[in-house]
Amino acid sequence: MKWQQIRDRYPYLYETHLHTSQASACARRSGEEMARAAKAYGYTGIFVTDHNWGGNTRIDSGLPWKQWVDAYCAGYLNAERAGEKLGLDVFFGMEAGFSGTEFLLYGIDGEWLKEHPEIKTADVGNLYKKIKEVGGMMIHAHPFREEYYIPEIRLYPEYADGVEGINATHSNPASTGHNHPEYDVKALAYAREHGLPLTAGSDIHSVELLGGGMAFKRRLSSVQDFIQAVTGEEDYILTNGDNCYTRYGELI
């Protein structure tokens, strides 16, 4: 089935893994620029998931905690303001890093971060506990990626609510970084082995969008709505912007 036919059935497309230059050192465009590009591409919404202190962050780790949070949230807030004008849904997320092993966090926000400075020193298990206490969701991002900054593949099925099974930078032919489709193949198999839900995103850092993400039959109302869709039995599509898959990772 062609992508356009699928889009007719699942018209609401969301980018679940996106970085801004205000908080991620590896990103090249601001939140507003990313929002405008996403709207022009045809996305219904985006999740801003900038790197935290454990990853490639732009924010000075020496700042007092609340100042750090304010600086970290600047890219998201910039995108959110643009989204309000454009009619693009903009949701808050975070990419948390542990020596190259990374997780996408959904269901927290800047105010929650300010009230929980202890997460800066939390290990994977304790972070998961904190995220679950607030009703959030922790997704293992690109679990089988191999890069110089990832010293080893470490898997935590007991501390993940799902797996980023499709990462467009791995498998979209237009990707210029991390382009190894086998990383997604392994991630899909890992999720199936442990019965974990799947997500998809582009891991995008510039306005040269790949079109990856998740497509739904309805518009999402909130981050909690997204969490319920992933952890429940709602029908949705995974895409790397080139191929499409069912929520169970089956190629369409």
Side-chain angles (χ1 to χ4, degrees):
M1 188 181 298
K2 293 183 179 180
W3 177 219
Q4 187 53 56
Q5 293 176 293
I6 295 171
R7 283 298 305 274
D8 289 342
R9 294 174 55 198
Y10 299 86
Y12 300 98
L13 178 64
Y14 292 84
E15 175 58 85
T16 68
H17 191 166
L18 176 148
H19 297 274
T20 75
S21 59
Q22 283 128 306
S24 295
C26 44
R28 300 195 293 275
R29 295 300 183 96
S30 69
E32 178 179 356
E33 290 173 302
M34 297 300 287
R36 290 188 180 281
K39 178 64 177 181
Y41 188 92
Y43 282 99
T44 304
I46 60 175
F47 290 79
V48 177
T49 55
D50 279 314
H51 290 290
N52 75 354
W53 52 88
N56 198 10
T57 184
R58 187 178 297 280
I59 313 303
D60 182 358
S61 61
L63 287 173
W65 177 246
K66 291 186 177 181
Q67 290 183 34
W68 187 94
V69 173
D70 285 338
Y72 175 81
C73 292
Y76 158 72
L77 292 172
N78 188 225
E80 183 186 45
R81 287 190 293 269
E84 289 174 354
K85 297 176 182 177
L86 296 167
L88 178 80
D89 297 332
V90 179
F91 300 121
F92 184 89
M94 172 181 279
E95 187 163 16
F98 297 87
S99 300
T101 303
E102 296 179 303
F103 297 87
L104 296 168
L105 311 181
Y106 305 99
I108 60 173
D109 58 21
E111 290 307 309
W112 184 89
L113 287 171
K114 287 181 179 180
E115 295 171 3
H116 293 84
E118 71 276 9
I119 72 163
K120 190 172 182 179
T121 56
D123 60 15
V124 174
N126 284 323
L127 176 62
Y128 183 70
K129 180 181 178 181
K130 289 290 182 183
I131 296 301
K132 299 310 292 179
E133 285 175 352
V134 75
M137 182 170 69
M138 189 156 146
I139 300 293
H140 197 152
H142 44 69
F144 291 93
R145 178 180 292 174
E146 297 179 27
E147 284 290 351
Y148 69 92
Y149 60 85
I150 304 175
E152 61 179 329
I153 301 299
R154 295 181 297 167
L155 304 175
Y156 298 89
E158 70 276 27
Y159 298 136
D161 297 301
V163 175
E164 186 184 53
I166 302 296
N167 184 298
T169 62
H170 295 166
S171 52
N172 186 300
S175 172
T176 58
H178 317 302
N179 198 326
H180 291 275
E182 66 271 19
Y183 299 162
D184 283 358
V185 173
K186 292 179 180 179
L188 291 172
Y190 168 61
R192 292 191 192 103
E193 178 185 357
H194 294 279
L196 293 169
L198 291 163
T199 67
S202 297
D203 199 357
I204 202 72
H205 292 69
S206 74
V207 295
E208 286 74 44
L209 304 185
L210 296 173
M214 300 169 66
F216 296 82
K217 292 181 176 179
R218 63 180 183 87
R219 190 165 193 154
L220 300 176
S221 62
S222 64
V223 178
Q224 282 300 324
D225 196 16
F226 172 63
I227 292 171
Q228 291 169 12
V230 173
T231 58
E233 291 298 321
E234 184 163 338
D235 185 20
Y236 57 76
I237 293 297
L238 311 169
T239 182
N240 64 359
D242 183 45
N243 291 321
C244 294
Y245 306 78
T246 69
R247 65 166 289 155
Y248 303 106
E250 300 156 336
L251 183 65
I252 299 175

